[in-house]
Amino acid sequence: MRLSPRARLAARTVHIGAAAGWFGAVLTYLVVAAATLPGAAPAPTVGGYQVLALITVVVLVPLSAATLVTGLVCSLGTSWGLLRHYWVLFKLVATAVLLLYTRSIENAATIAAKPQWSDADRRVLADPTHVVHASAALVVLVTALVLAVFKPRGLTRYGQRRAAGHPGAATVSR
């Protein structure tokens, strides 16, 4: 199903807006995670992990889901297709992986909310994993942005088969 030009622009606008918001939310998450990490005092650590959990549930998950859904609409509703080009496939997989990762904050927020921390709890809360993963998420999101802007050539095997079977199927106007 091809989208009309107006529907394509609307879907792309929502997609870009959601992706930009997602990028900002990951950046905010990174700052809060970095500020929460070194805290030996329980109150700032508990508060930091509560904020991280809130950012995840209220901002990251909805924006990443909106990016995924609108990306699917954009790819399926245009000649780019979902599985024809490597850059589209990368963006799809990266979005799904980043969306799935958001579940990891729940464990740390639950531990931080305990009235007493064991040594194992302190090790979990001091682990820089949230800073590292948020930094990696920013790299992935910037890579997805660059791929979306430059749309590098390179068809998947499926795209090559489609192009061979349908002359002109692989040529897409930008």
Side-chain angles (χ1 to χ4, degrees), residues 137-161:
L138 286 176
V139 170
V140 169
L141 290 172
V142 167
T143 302
L145 171 65
V146 169
L147 290 173
V149 170
F150 289 98
K151 296 175 179 56
R153 295 178 190 225
L155 295 172
T156 63
R157 288 185 183 183
Y158 171 76
Q160 290 169 357
R161 284 194 306 271

Side-chain angles (χ1 to χ4, degrees), residues 33-51:
T36 300
L37 237 185
T45 302
V46 171
Y49 277 106
Q50 287 174 341
V51 169

Side-chain angles (χ1 to χ4, degrees), residues 5 7-17 70 74 78 151 174:
R8 188 172 51 246
L9 281 175
R12 191 177 333 150
T13 300
V14 173
H15 182 71
I16 292 168
T70 57
C74 289
T78 65
K151 296 175 179 56
R174 293 184 186 183

Side-chain angles (χ1 to χ4, degrees), residues 106-132:
E106 295 170 15
N107 181 45
T110 301
I111 289 171
K114 288 181 180 179
Q116 296 281 340
W117 296 338
S118 67
D119 287 339
D121 292 341
R122 289 183 194 284
R123 282 191 295 279
V124 168
L125 297 175
D127 187 352
T129 189
H130 297 288
V131 173
V132 171

